[in-house]
Amino acid sequence: MAALPFSRNNGGQGRAEPRPQPALRSPEMAAGTAFVLSGGGNQGVAEVGMLQALLERGIVPNVIVGTSAGAINGAAVAADPTTGGVERLAEVWRGIRTEDIFPGGRLARAWNVLRRSDHLFASDGLAAVIDLLPVDDFHDLVIPLRVVVTDFDTGEELVIAAGPVKPAILASTALPGVFPPVRLGGRTLIDGGVVNNVPLRHALSGPVDRIYVLNVTGAVADAPPRYPLDVTLRAFAIARNRRYQIDREHAPGYVDIIELPRPDDGRSIFDFTGADTIIEEAYALAARHLDALDRKIDPADEPGRRRWLRVFRRAEVAQPVTSARPSQSRSRFPDLWTLTRAGVPRQLTKGEWGCNDSR
């Protein structure tokens, strides 16, 4: 079996325990940029416009952390961190139709409720979209990628960082009750957004001092709910947004967290129309925000930080970040783990942790 590393949030015991916090690096160790891409279902199309604005300005990350729809977009950029790569991602979103992801109408959905045990829709259409991504294995990515998933049996928050990319993304997008869980590495996995829809803390675990957050879930009431599933998702959004706010409040002061604005999106979860309009609106909002931020910062201020920022903006592709696990801390970031081909758990070595090595 291909290598499959996880980070584990409660030691694999399957019982509720305090959630370990990532070990935050000191300012002296910080030297990189991260992109954090939230989940959001069909709202994930807005991330395409945000990514286009970032890459046009030469802002290329050292690591990408994504949940659910953010994992799809993150994988595309990790494989091809160029404006051309983002344009190809935009074509994928433009080609998605509701019937591709949610086949059948209301009667079909009602029938699925009666005849299926754990989901409303097969994930064939979702898998077909993921198959359009230009990557097969984490090891082949240009930029390291972290995909957040949830263990359905234990409630653990897991991070997949090596092995086949597409099964990991399918697991991260397996919205519970809507799509079937994914069996991977001996675990039953579901949408990472259940436990961490904006995985900021995982970006803070590495040596970064600037994080761009692409959070497309935003407010919980862009439009009145039209379906029972809309009500459920809104309730989830309230809890998930609170988790993100807490993570922001506890971020170290030396890390710049830049959240890009999102366009209003009042569509139902089943509506994939209007992709072009949302991409354009998201691009315009992000471009104005980034340009205003660039003008606001005086190059004379924080000269050291400005120097590294100019270096990263000149680079076509940032080098992978490598970071050592702290050896002593009760609240350190959970280790990444690999399941070997023989199915035996193996902890990643210091050199492997924080890079896209799938050995």
Side-chain angles (χ1 to χ4, degrees):
M1 185 178 68
L4 176 64
F6 294 113
S7 70
R8 311 194 304 174
N9 267 19
N10 66 4
Q13 301 302 311
R15 64 179 185 272
E17 296 181 358
R19 178 172 61 88
Q21 300 298 323
L24 303 180
R25 303 298 188 251
S26 66
E28 291 75 17
M29 296 178 66
T33 298
F35 285 1
V36 173
L37 284 73
S38 79
N42 56 344
Q43 295 178 335
V45 68
E47 293 176 347
V48 178
M50 298 176 185
L51 290 166
Q52 191 75 9
L54 285 164
L55 294 180
E56 278 188 2
R57 284 151 183 79
I59 303 173
V60 180
N62 296 82
V63 65
I64 298 172
V65 187
T67 293
S68 197
I72 294 177
N73 295 329
V77 173
D80 186 1
T82 66
T83 56
V86 176
E87 178 54 35
R88 284 184 283 276
L89 175 62
E91 286 300 320
V92 171
W93 279 96
R94 294 184 187 112
I96 298 177
R97 301 290 180 267
T98 299
E99 57 270 20
D100 297 333
I101 309 299
F102 306 111
R106 295 183 182 180
L107 290 178
R109 291 196 290 271
W111 172 245
N112 286 341
V113 170
L114 296 176
R115 75 182 183 90
R116 295 187 186 277
S117 60
D118 62 0
H119 61 279
L120 293 176
F121 303 97
S123 57
D124 297 347
L126 189 58
V129 171
I130 296 171
D131 282 339
L132 297 175
L133 299 178
V135 65
D136 293 319
D137 196 276
F138 280 86
H139 188 71
D140 301 324
L141 296 171
V142 177
I143 295 174
L145 174 69
R146 303 286 178 261
V147 174
V148 179
V149 299
T150 304
D151 187 309
F152 184 65
D153 296 321
T154 67
E156 292 175 272
E157 178 181 343
L158 309 174
V159 177
I160 302 179
V165 171
K166 293 173 183 177
I169 298 175
L170 189 63
S172 187
T173 54
L175 186 65
V178 179
F179 298 114
V182 174
R183 289 290 297 176
L184 195 61
R187 294 175 179 259
T188 302
L189 305 178
I190 59 174
D191 195 316
V194 171
V195 290
N196 198 349
N197 199 49
V198 189
L200 177 65
R201 295 291 296 185
H202 294 293
L204 290 168
S205 70
V208 299
D209 54 5
R210 178 159 294 205
I211 300 175
Y212 292 90
V213 178
L214 287 63
N215 180 12
V216 298
T217 54
V220 298
D222 278 354
R226 304 172 189 173
Y227 304 100
L229 185 57
D230 292 335
V231 177
T232 301
L233 293 178
R234 181 169 297 181
F236 280 140
I238 294 171
R240 295 183 303 190
N241 285 351
R242 181 57 186 156
R243 160 77 185 270
Y244 169 54
Q245 292 303 320
I246 292 173
D247 286 346
R248 283 203 63 155
E249 291 168 3
H250 289 83
Y254 66 86
V255 177
D256 291 333
I257 299 176
I258 302 168
E259 181 171 354
L260 300 183
R262 60 180 284 273
D264 291 335
D265 189 346
R267 298 175 303 164
S268 162
I269 183 178
F270 300 109
D271 187 358
F272 285 85
T273 62
D276 269 325
T277 299
I278 295 174
I279 290 174
E280 291 172 3
E281 291 179 358
Y283 169 81
L285 288 170
R288 285 197 297 269
H289 186 78
L290 292 169
D291 291 343
L293 181 66
D294 198 48
R295 290 191 299 269
K296 184 177 180 180
I297 298 176
D298 186 344
D301 295 335
E302 299 183 279
R305 173 164 296 186
R306 296 301 295 177
R307 279 197 296 273
W308 74 253
L309 183 57
R310 286 195 294 270
V311 169
F312 278 102
R313 287 186 174 180
R314 282 198 300 267
E316 291 184 3
V317 176
Q319 296 299 314
V321 174
T322 57
S323 54
R325 290 189 308 272
S327 58
Q328 296 181 356
S329 175
R330 291 176 179 264
S331 61
R332 63 184 174 83
F333 182 61
D335 298 324
L336 294 181
W337 289 72
T338 296
L339 292 179
T340 65
R341 295 184 184 280
V344 180
R346 175 177 69 81
Q347 188 172 330
L348 294 182
T349 66
K350 175 179 176 180
E352 292 173 310
W353 193 87
C355 68
N356 57 347
D357 194 327
S358 62
R359 291 176 293 175

